[in-house]
Amino acid sequence: WAEEVMELVVKEMRGIAGGNLEESEVERARNQLVGSTTLGLESSDSWMGHIAKNELYFSRAVSLDEIAQGIRAVSRDQVVELANSLFQPNAMTLTILGDLAKKDLDIKL
């Protein structure tokens, strides 16, 4: 099953890099990212960590609204362009963790 999963992942990566990505998929990803970011900052500890990182990286406070606006501003074309630049089969390395000693994998990138 590891081989099948990796083949499906590679197929999806190739598809996105090739422009096979619906706007609705990008919108769902944006919504999920905004939601998980918001939920991830609900505790006092994570909010204080957020404030500290903002000071270190940006020397200012970055509001949750600003983060959400930045996420929502990412276009489908930007996602495709990034995927195309990152998915370079000749420059990729694959790591699989688990008990796979008895299985000889043949995964084509």
Side-chain angles (χ1 to χ4, degrees):
W1 59 264
E3 194 168 347
E4 181 181 354
V5 169
M6 289 310 306
E7 286 174 2
L8 288 171
V9 168
V10 168
K11 179 182 175 186
E12 286 300 313
M13 291 173 65
R14 277 198 177 131
I16 293 169
N20 186 17
L21 181 65
E22 298 293 326
E23 179 61 37
S24 61
E25 295 173 296
V26 177
E27 183 63 23
R28 278 194 308 274
R30 285 189 212 107
N31 290 336
Q32 192 279 330
L33 189 53
V34 168
S36 64
T37 300
T38 302
L39 288 174
L41 293 174
E42 283 192 343
S43 75
S44 296
D45 287 347
S46 58
W47 185 251
M48 292 302 112
H50 167 75
I51 291 170
K53 288 176 190 172
N54 286 337
E55 282 300 317
L56 288 171
Y57 297 141
F58 308 112
S59 300
R60 67 180 184 87
V62 179
S63 71
L64 196 50
D65 285 339
E66 186 178 351
I67 293 169
Q69 286 175 354
I71 292 169
R72 294 194 192 289
V74 174
S75 72
R76 176 206 166 276
D77 290 342
Q78 287 173 312
V79 173
V80 170
E81 182 181 335
L82 179 62
N84 195 32
S85 70
L86 293 177
F87 185 66
Q88 301 294 323
N90 296 337
M92 294 180 73
T93 301
L94 174 66
T95 301
I96 300 175
L97 300 175
D99 186 15
L100 301 170
K102 296 178 184 175
K103 178 132 175 111
D104 184 25
L105 298 177
D106 183 27
I107 298 170
K108 304 284 188 264
L109 296 178

